[in-house]
Amino acid sequence: MQKTIIKQEKTTNQTRRLLMAVAMAALLVSHAEAATLNREVEVTGDVITVGDLFTGVEKHADYVLAQAPKPGDVLRLPAHDLKRVSDTFNLGWQPSSHLDQAVIRSAAVTVESQGVIDALTAKLAEDFPGQRFEIQLPQKMPAFSPDAIKEMAIESLKANQERQTFEARLTAGTQSHVINGRMFSLVSVPVLKSTFKNGDMISAVDVEYADLRQSTLPANTLLDAQQLVGLTPRRLAPAGKPLQVSDLESPMMVKKGQTVTLQLKSGSLSLSLQGKAMQNGAAGDTVRVLNTASNQVVEGTVSGFQRIDVMPATNAQIIN
């Protein structure tokens, strides 16, 4: 009987130890579940902490593990490095496979293109007084931390006007980046506000100025708006395009076969007759015209649309 009691006591102690072991294991499992890996991490500061990598960490969350990657860069921590952190701080996290990893990025802001263009334009205006440029930035612009971006400035600028290139160093706080781009000299050129066809006479209100790249302009491009006024395109002239001397001509105010008004003047006397133009003529051209009343051909000067001035002496002369 005594032996039986001892045996039962031994069995009870073993059961107690087993139950305690299970309880301890349960606590460990519970602790492991509390520390969860953050697989995608975005840090806003300059360092990476334990709390950045794992959630549910009460102690050591602010412990610094490493420097944060630069804005725009990526740091990947593999499973064995993450387990080392977990073991060091007794987080209880275990990788499910060797493929587990944490991808860490720094919060970054790409500089605004227009802000950089404005800063470069101001700098170029200092280096090249009286000249204006079109700035072409690289497709990929550098990234700065959100706090540093407010301090962005042009530290230095190297411009090669002949090659139309520049190199600029942008700084923001302790961060610095070099960008390379293009710069094109601009010229103000008179252009049409809307498309004109042959016969449409250009007036001053039809013209505006546009800044165009000097390198793309032909040598005989018209640069004064007054050079366009009173003329008409020889062919279709699109809006916003530079024009050359050869693109324009005086508009035909009189066309061959068209009924015109003959204006005869002598002192204070003025007489108007109908006639038929025998030639095309622009303003100021001398053309032949048939006086339909007398069936005589005379010469006159085109003075307006469908109007020809004939001098008395010329009118008296009959041209067969």
Side-chain angles (χ1 to χ4, degrees):
M1 187 65 180
Q2 184 70 24
K3 291 183 179 179
T4 303
I5 294 174
I6 294 175
K7 184 177 181 181
Q8 287 179 344
E9 288 180 351
K10 288 183 178 180
T11 302
T12 301
N13 290 336
Q14 290 176 351
T15 302
R16 288 175 180 172
R17 285 196 295 269
L18 178 59
L19 291 174
M20 290 180 62
V22 170
M24 290 296 296
L27 289 174
L28 290 176
V29 170
S30 176
H31 187 69
E33 290 177 350
T36 305
L37 175 65
N38 297 320
R39 300 181 184 278
E40 296 287 339
V41 180
E42 183 178 82
V43 295
T44 57
D46 296 329
V47 295
I48 303 169
T49 65
V50 174
D52 290 327
L53 295 181
F54 295 93
T55 57
V57 179
E58 296 181 0
K59 296 181 179 180
H60 312 298
D62 296 330
Y63 189 91
V64 175
L65 297 173
Q67 288 291 318
K70 295 181 180 179
D73 292 346
V74 176
L75 175 64
R76 301 177 187 275
L77 292 181
H80 61 84
D81 285 339
L82 295 170
K83 185 177 184 306
R84 187 178 305 162
V85 173
S86 175
D87 292 346
T88 300
F89 297 98
N90 195 28
L91 304 181
W93 177 85
Q94 294 291 330
S96 58
S97 77
H98 68 282
L99 298 178
D100 283 349
Q101 65 174 352
V103 179
I104 305 168
R105 295 179 175 86
S106 285
V109 178
T110 301
V111 294
E112 293 184 9
S113 297
Q114 191 55 53
V116 176
I117 289 175
D118 292 342
L120 289 171
T121 299
K123 183 65 176 175
L124 287 171
E126 296 177 4
D127 297 345
F128 302 92
Q131 298 187 48
R132 289 172 296 108
F133 298 91
E134 176 187 340
I135 305 298
Q136 189 177 85
L137 298 176
Q139 290 185 349
K140 185 177 181 181
M141 292 294 291
F144 292 94
S145 65
D147 292 335
I149 195 69
K150 302 174 184 177
E151 306 172 10
M152 195 278 297
I154 307 295
E155 180 180 334
S156 62
L157 175 66
K158 297 178 182 178
N160 189 320
Q161 197 169 7
E162 183 178 350
R163 294 185 178 181
Q164 301 181 19
T165 60
F166 71 85
E167 178 184 286
R169 178 174 290 278
L170 308 183
T171 61
T174 59
Q175 302 172 43
S176 178
H177 295 278
V178 174
I179 62 171
N180 293 279
R182 305 292 305 277
M183 49 181 280
F184 303 96
S185 297
L186 296 178
V187 177
S188 287
V189 178
V191 297
L192 297 173
K193 294 180 181 179
S194 58
T195 299
F196 272 58
K197 62 181 183 298
N198 181 256
D200 295 337
M201 189 167 67
I202 302 170
S203 62
V205 296
D206 300 320
V207 183
E208 62 184 0
Y209 279 91
D211 289 337
L212 302 177
R213 295 180 185 180
Q214 186 175 21
S215 59
T216 64
L217 298 178
N220 57 346
T221 296
L222 298 174
L223 300 178
D224 187 347
Q226 290 302 314
Q227 294 176 290
L228 282 66
V229 175
L231 302 179
T232 185
R234 293 182 183 273
R235 59 192 67 83
L236 198 68
K241 298 294 183 182
L243 296 170
Q244 301 172 247
V245 175
S246 58
D247 293 328
L248 301 174
E249 63 182 7
S250 297
M252 292 295 104
M253 295 188 171
V254 171
K255 294 183 179 180
K256 182 179 179 180
Q258 188 178 56
T259 299
V260 297
T261 298
L262 298 177
Q263 193 76 26
L264 295 95
K265 293 183 179 180
S266 180
S268 60
L269 298 177
S270 178
L271 179 64
S272 296
L273 300 172
Q274 273 198 338
K276 181 178 289 186
M278 302 183 68
Q279 293 175 281
N280 293 332
D285 288 349
T286 299
V287 297
R288 293 188 301 164
V289 59
L290 175 66
N291 183 341
T292 53
S294 64
N295 205 32
Q296 294 177 342
V297 177
V298 297
E299 285 187 338
T301 303
V302 178
S303 58
F305 281 105
Q306 297 178 266
R307 191 175 72 241
I308 299 174
D309 290 345
V310 180
M311 297 301 293
T314 305
N315 187 48
Q317 182 183 3
I318 300 175
I319 304 175
N320 295 320

